[in-house]
Amino acid sequence: MRLYNTMSREVEEVRPSDGTVRIYLCGVTVYDYSHIGHARTIIVFDVLRRYLIHRGYSVKFVQNFTDVDDKIIRAAREKGVRPLELAEYFIEQYFNDFDRLNVLRADHYPRATEHVGDMHALIKGLMDKGYAYTTSKGVYFSIVRDADYGKLSKKPIDELKAGARVEVDEEKLDPLDFALWKFAEDEPSWDSPWGRGRPGWHIECSAMSMKYLGETFEIHGGGEDLIFPHHENEIAQSESLTCKEFARHWVHVGMVNVKGEKMAKSLKNIEPIRSALSRWGPNAIRLYCLSAHYRKPLEYDESLLRQALAVWRDVENALFELEHAMQVPADEGSRVADELRAIVDDSFSTFMESMDDDLDTPRAIASLLVPIRAVNRYAAEDMLDGSIAGAVMKRLNDMLFILGLRRADVSMEERARIEEMVRRRSMLRAEKRYREADEIREMLRAEGVELVDHRDRTVWKKLG
RNA sequence: GGUGGGGUGGCAGAGCGGCUAUGCGCCCGCCUGCAGAGCGGGUAUACAGGGGUUCGAAUCCCCUCCCCACCUCCA
């Protein structure tokens, strides 16, 4: 597949050397609930991963948790809990949110605090090679020793120095030198060959990505706000040490904006995932996050979520119609089945083509809607049957898998109960006892089950 | 100032040299005991502005204007 590479600023073919695509995603710092901005990045990578899996690659996916950091320590102090407890709590919340968003679990979720030893090894290596030095505050990486520093963000170093907004630290050799290890005595802190302290922010990702994926791997990414300085510094550390290319492909996801401003905790304009979930549900949120190309900014606005939900309702409707149609005796060699098969095959190839072209999800979604619409049309004309449903299910499911969309789960018990109520209502309707029939419909609606009356049967769907 | 990315119908958003993108919204119908959902049809004379190149440009080139992100922690 072809993907834009921030390093070259060009769309390039992803070419894993051995059929395995190794992906490292910079995850979240766990000091608060995750918001829609995080969801976008993580969902985009989830879809990338799902697509690659579907294409037959084996994918090794690693995503870190930054669980030691000044913000965590500050937040813990305010709440009167220990920093690691706070981090643990928000990690649990993270899984809660993203499981509900149907994001596949990574192969590893390394935590910074569990890899301090690995970081020490890297820092020692950098010291030995003369890339790092010690001051009274910590151990720093010296960027002047790194000839190609700035190659990812394409920043001329002189410019950065001139406009440096970072505090001037007289002890550093260069204002752009960054901490590998910061001396500190308070909790949490670890002993190190240079003194007790905590890791700098960037070293954890170098240590953990190389540990789980090797010194060179295929894809490294995150939000585009990580390009500088985070990813730039990771490259500097890692490549200075190994003398090898760190990641082949750098993938960065655009920001979610609120009224034109970036959604950020510091701006107090965040929409937590948990509250968005309760209002729109996982599928609408996923469709919303994928409704714009991943490298473009995405505006957070209720009308867009509403739109995404409307799209999902169409998809969901088609899925339930198909499921019910499976029980309708098939008309052998049905012309409609052939037509629908042609429509869905065509849609599928456009879908895959779009995904292959730098993850063009808006176009992919548009092509998915073609067979959805066709199914709904046949359903409205009461023309669906088992053979038709069979003709489209597989391809449709492939597309839904890649986008990570799925309709609500219905347990056997729930299914039986719903169908019993539907049967009762049908009988009441046959006797024209509409008030009682409507009561049943209302009861079901209250629990998120919608009924669709067809000529001689009623299709129910559980809203997801 | 530097580095990137953009400006497409009421809104969102593909297209990147010739073929209706698509969706939401809105209007009118159909279906229905009613309702919702769905379906059909219609609506938008769309491509920031100005010059080129071309038989033909939203798509290529030049100029101008405007927007956003990053350059500090940040997905």
Side-chain angles (χ1 to χ4, degrees):
Chain A
M1 88 174 285
R2 295 156 53 72
L3 260 188
Y4 184 83
N5 186 351
T6 308
M7 186 65 86
S8 65
R9 309 281 154 140
E10 278 172 13
V11 175
E12 295 173 3
E13 190 70 27
V14 178
R15 280 186 226 282
S17 48
D18 59 357
T20 298
V21 181
R22 299 165 193 82
I23 305 177
Y24 185 87
L25 172 62
C26 284
V28 294
T29 301
V30 279
Y31 70 101
D32 204 345
Y33 296 101
S34 301
H35 58 69
I36 291 292
H38 302 123
R40 182 186 190 193
T41 298
I42 287 158
I43 286 169
V44 165
F45 270 83
D46 185 52
V47 169
L48 170 63
R49 182 181 178 198
R50 286 165 174 271
Y51 175 68
L52 290 169
I53 290 171
H54 190 272
R55 285 281 307 268
Y57 291 108
S58 126
V59 178
K60 193 162 180 193
F61 194 94
V62 177
Q63 179 184 329
N64 72 300
F65 283 117
T66 299
D67 62 347
V68 51
D69 153 280
D70 290 345
K71 285 193 292 289
I72 295 173
I73 294 167
R74 201 184 319 130
R77 205 166 285 153
E78 280 167 17
K79 292 193 171 68
V81 296
R82 302 184 62 190
L84 294 184
E85 282 170 3
L86 183 95
E88 187 60 40
Y89 172 79
F90 285 114
I91 287 172
E92 280 169 31
Q93 295 307 310
Y94 172 92
F95 284 121
N96 191 8
D97 288 342
F98 285 92
D99 285 349
R100 286 183 64 197
L101 283 172
N102 198 24
V103 169
L104 297 173
R105 289 274 182 132
D107 295 296
H108 297 284
Y109 287 100
R111 303 178 188 193
T113 55
E114 292 171 356
H115 294 79
V116 173
D118 299 302
M119 295 186 229
H120 286 166
L122 291 197
I123 297 169
K124 177 158 191 317
L126 288 167
M127 283 290 244
D128 291 349
K129 292 184 89 169
Y131 283 103
Y133 59 94
T134 311
T135 76
S136 67
K137 298 208 179 69
V139 182
Y140 287 84
F141 181 88
S142 174
I143 64 142
V144 291
R145 291 294 320 278
D146 182 21
D148 56 7
Y149 186 78
K151 67 178 178 178
L152 178 70
S153 54
K154 304 282 185 288
K155 294 193 182 301
I157 326 180
D158 299 348
E159 277 291 336
L160 283 171
K161 286 179 194 166
R165 286 194 266 165
V166 287
E167 298 171 41
V168 181
D169 178 346
E170 293 300 329
E171 287 186 73
K172 290 203 288 188
L173 299 179
D174 187 291
L176 292 175
D177 289 351
F178 54 90
L180 298 168
W181 188 255
K182 296 188 282 194
F183 295 142
E185 296 290 333
D186 57 334
E187 285 295 311
S189 60
W190 293 260
D191 285 323
S192 86
W194 311 279
R196 196 167 177 82
R198 292 191 276 272
W201 175 34
H202 317 295
I203 196 72
E204 65 174 89
C205 287
S206 291
M208 300 189 291
S209 61
M210 289 198 273
K211 173 165 185 169
Y212 293 99
L213 299 174
E215 292 179 340
T216 298
F217 50 93
E218 282 68 29
I219 297 173
H220 191 133
E224 69 177 2
D225 53 353
L226 296 183
I227 295 172
F228 188 90
H230 186 54
H231 287 158
E232 195 72 77
N233 291 349
E234 280 188 54
I235 292 168
Q237 293 163 348
S238 307
E239 297 191 352
S240 294
L241 186 69
T242 65
C243 298
K244 289 179 190 160
E245 186 182 28
F246 181 40
R248 294 219 177 85
H249 232 104
W250 288 88
V251 174
H252 292 100
V253 180
M255 295 293 103
V256 173
N257 297 149
V258 180
K259 295 190 175 67
E261 271 190 316
K262 182 169 112 179
M263 180 179 286
K265 290 165 190 169
S266 54
L267 293 172
K268 299 262 180 9
N269 62 358
I270 61 165
E271 173 75 359
I273 292 168
R274 56 211 316 254
S275 82
L277 271 169
S278 67
R279 296 168 72 190
W280 312 104
N283 296 294
I285 293 173
R286 287 189 74 108
L287 282 166
Y288 158 76
C289 287
L290 301 169
S291 69
H293 184 85
Y294 75 91
R295 284 192 279 125
K296 288 193 171 182
L298 176 62
E299 188 68 16
Y300 183 78
D301 184 289
E302 294 211 0
S303 69
L304 299 177
L305 268 300
R306 215 174 300 130
Q307 176 174 332
L309 184 57
V311 170
W312 172 245
R313 289 290 174 239
D314 281 3
V315 175
E316 188 175 53
N317 190 66
L319 297 179
F320 276 100
E321 289 290 354
L322 287 171
E323 184 180 306
H324 283 78
M326 290 302 268
Q327 293 145 22
V328 177
D331 187 3
E332 285 305 316
S334 150
R335 180 185 54 80
V336 174
D338 291 342
E339 271 175 28
L340 209 45
R341 199 190 313 271
I343 289 170
V344 76
D345 281 351
D346 191 54
S347 145
F348 182 72
S349 71
T350 305
F351 181 95
M352 294 300 274
E353 209 174 275
S354 308
M355 295 300 289
D356 207 72
D357 180 16
D358 196 24
L359 221 59
D360 190 348
T361 52
R363 188 160 158 245
I365 291 169
S367 77
L368 164 68
L369 295 178
V370 175
I372 293 297
R373 194 153 254 266
V375 167
N376 285 333
R377 188 172 63 242
Y378 288 124
E381 290 165 9
D382 223 356
M383 286 171 72
L384 292 183
D385 65 32
S387 82
I388 297 167
V392 294
M393 278 297 218
K394 160 113 183 34
R395 284 284 154 88
L396 222 43
N397 282 337
D398 285 346
M399 292 189 269
L400 294 169
F401 167 79
I402 291 169
L403 297 176
L405 302 174
R406 64 176 177 195
R407 57 170 181 64
D409 284 331
V410 189
S411 69
M412 295 295 278
E413 296 76 32
E414 195 177 5
R415 181 180 301 270
R417 201 173 54 80
I418 292 168
E419 286 176 357
E420 172 54 30
M421 285 171 82
V422 169
R423 242 189 321 275
R424 246 180 32 232
R425 172 169 171 273
S426 298
M427 277 154 58
L428 291 166
R429 288 179 73 215
E431 297 168 21
K432 299 205 187 314
R433 291 158 67 183
Y434 294 122
R435 185 178 310 180
E436 291 155 88
D438 287 354
E439 266 173 34
I440 292 177
R441 184 170 61 192
E442 281 310 312
M443 275 170 64
L444 286 169
R445 185 174 289 157
E447 52 188 272
V449 175
E450 284 282 342
L451 302 185
V452 184
D453 291 327
H454 282 55
R455 209 164 311 168
D456 53 0
R457 65 202 169 94
T458 295
V459 170
W460 57 266
K461 49 181 181 167
K462 170 120 187 234
L463 304 184

